[in-house]
């Protein structure tokens, strides 16, 4: 955050950075009244408890201008890291019916299906522009081990006619 705040674009008022908790359902005061063109969520939702997904997306939506976009990349269902964690002793499943693990270091990881992610965003008033799996293979050059990775990449949009009406706000 400090690096972004010291950038010339931030000093000119074109870029704003703040620390906050999206799961509270609102943006930090520094971003109050923000109308951004784009929000990026890179491996953000997978670290949030599923019960807080809605609040986090409402906070993101409140900071986007009508027509603004969310660019997302996160862990996908079938990811090799999930299988590796489940096979080892370093992770535990929080809910037997959900793709939700806690790593040995205490960090959380949720593995999304494209259908569940699309449903989640649309329930919070976004339009889906693109939502698909991206498959990659990573290799450890020292050991020669490879791991098949599955990520979800997506683009969502706050509708251009959206006025943040009561239809999509928290009860």
């Amino acid at each position: 955050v400090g690096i972004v705040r010291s950038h010339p674009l931030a000093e000119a008022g074109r870029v704003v950075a703040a620390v906050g908790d999206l799961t509270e359902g609102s943006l930090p005061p520094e971003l109050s009244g923000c109308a951004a063109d784009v929000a990026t969520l890179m491996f953000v939702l997978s670290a949030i408890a599923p019960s807080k997904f809605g609040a986090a997306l409402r906070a993101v939506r409140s900071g986007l201008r009508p027509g603004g976009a969310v660019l997302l990349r996160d862990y996908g269902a079938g990811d090799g890291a999930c299988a590796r964690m489940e096979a080892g002793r370093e992770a535990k499943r929080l809910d037997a019916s959900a793709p939700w693990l806690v790593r040995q270091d205490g960090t959380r990881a949720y593995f999304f299906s494209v259908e569940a992610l699309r449903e989640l965003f649309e329930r919070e008033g976004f339009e889906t522009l693109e939502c698909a799996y991206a498959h990659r293979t990573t290799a450890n050059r020292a050991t020669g081990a490879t791991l098949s990775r599955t990520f979800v990449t997506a683009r969502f949009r706050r509708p251009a006619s959206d006025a943040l009406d009561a239809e999509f706000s928290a009860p």
Side-chain angles (χ1 to χ4, degrees):
V1 171
I3 293 170
V4 172
R5 286 180 176 164
S6 67
H7 192 278
L9 288 175
E11 292 171 5
R14 295 204 32 135
V15 175
V16 179
V19 175
D21 182 356
L22 289 178
T23 67
E24 292 178 359
S26 60
L27 295 174
E30 300 93 333
L31 301 176
S32 174
C34 180
D37 292 320
V38 178
T40 57
L41 299 179
M42 301 299 166
F43 302 98
V44 171
L45 287 181
S46 60
I48 295 173
S51 63
K52 304 276 188 163
F53 287 162
L57 292 183
R58 284 189 293 278
V60 170
R61 190 166 157 262
S62 74
L64 284 174
R65 67 166 175 78
V70 175
L71 307 178
L72 179 138
R73 184 174 179 116
D74 224 317
Y75 299 111
D79 185 39
C82 179
R84 186 184 67 212
M85 284 192 286
E86 288 180 320
R89 294 186 197 139
E90 72 259 11
K92 72 175 185 177
R93 188 170 287 281
L94 288 177
D95 179 346
S97 66
W100 178 241
L101 297 169
V102 177
R103 296 179 184 100
Q104 184 178 12
D105 65 1
T107 58
R108 299 172 181 211
Y110 191 94
F111 296 85
F112 291 95
S113 70
V114 292
E115 298 82 10
L117 194 62
R118 185 180 302 117
E119 245 178 65
L120 173 66
F121 271 82
E122 289 176 359
R123 186 171 49 244
E124 295 303 328
F126 288 92
E127 297 170 342
T128 301
L129 302 176
E130 175 184 0
C131 189
Y133 292 113
H135 301 281
R136 303 283 183 267
T137 300
T138 59
N140 181 325
R141 292 182 194 149
T143 65
T146 61
L147 183 64
S148 295
R149 303 303 310 265
T150 301
F151 304 106
V152 177
T153 58
R155 290 184 309 127
F156 301 98
R157 178 175 49 210
R158 178 177 164 186
S161 61
D162 187 14
L164 280 177
D165 58 28
E167 180 183 352
F168 298 107
S169 39

